[in-house]
Amino acid sequence: MKKQLLVPAFASAALLVLAGCSSDGQSGDGLFIDVPDIPMAEELGAAEDASLDIVAWSGFVEPEWSDQFTEDTGCVVNRRVAGTSDEMVTLMRTGEYDLVSASGDASLRLIAGGDVAPINLDLIPNFGDDIVEGMKGQIYDTINGQSYGVPIGRGANILQYNSEVVTETPESWDVVWEADSPYAGQIIAYDAPIYIADAAVYLMTHEPDLGITNPYALDETQLAAAVELLQQQNEIVAEYWADPVAQITSFVGGTTVVGTSWEVLRKFTEDTEKFGGTLPVEGSTGWSDAWMLSSEADAPNCAYLWMDYTSSPEVNGAIAMNFGMAPANAAFCETSDEAAQHCEDFNATDEEYFSNVWFWTTPIEQCVDGRTDVTCTNFQQWTEAWLTVKG
């Protein structure tokens, strides 16, 4: 594989034009849009005499497995931890990094901008039958039938609650959205434009006349309805969180008693029995992370070797346990009793559970729900709308 094969064919982002997509927007061959024509590697060459520079979430690249990778391949790993998807996009656009562990709210931005290259899965032997089906061919990282991401793990954005105050398990998200919530003033919400999708998920069930079928495909009327609900919620929210530590502190300190959380966060509290978590009847949003290869990678061979290495059951499972998520490689679940328990705790192979989760997907003007008679709102519009919510 030659580096020049991975250089972007276009220097600027191409206009996204929808040609069609799967009817449910959740699986299949991904999304069909026009994107920059970035060549895909056809074969793997020798490991480069250069560092492998990775932008990753905290916990994804640790010495306990990266040191072994260096010993096996000679590729020296340099990690840059990022705290948000926006930061990841910004860093990848500098051209200084080879890989990123991108979530779905960053993936389409990177693909459309020509910042990442399509991936030849044939060069990744560990990407095989054991990769869970629910993380293959998704619209956030599979474009025109071509993969741009190697799955790492996934999780749902659940409803967390303090069982000493919220004494019955909530069945609905209404306890955080409705103005007459008994927990008004004690609610915590996620602080990011992508949280608009959480409002849309709630409206899909409670305002069906809006016609929302995918929370990331909102026309102007649907976006306005979601923003109105968010503004209503703003009146009863105690805190917004983007930093997981702040979320944990808020719950443990008693400032908040119910709100949006990642599955792993309640396990980090001092009294895990005190904090429950549930996936309400409306379903939820969620996140699915994948390795994406820079179109300007200085060490593309090392990057492919890393993606294969971290797709093995043992290493993928180590990352999943370290971060707190469902692993992509289901074979990990059979490696030990501890692994089996982790997979059970995070619903690793329960596709019925994840069928009720709408994974983060960058909103674009071409409606990812398949509509062609309207223009949907894009991420910039969501960003501007989010500012009106928070004031």
Side-chain angles (χ1 to χ4, degrees), residues 179-193:
D180 60 354
S181 169
Y183 311 108
Q186 297 175 289
I187 295 166
I188 193 167
Y190 192 58
D191 189 2

Side-chain angles (χ1 to χ4, degrees), residues 141-158:
D141 63 10
T142 303
I143 303 299
N144 305 329
Q146 174 62 59
S147 176
Y148 284 77
V150 176
I152 308 168
R154 59 182 173 173
N157 295 322
I158 62 169

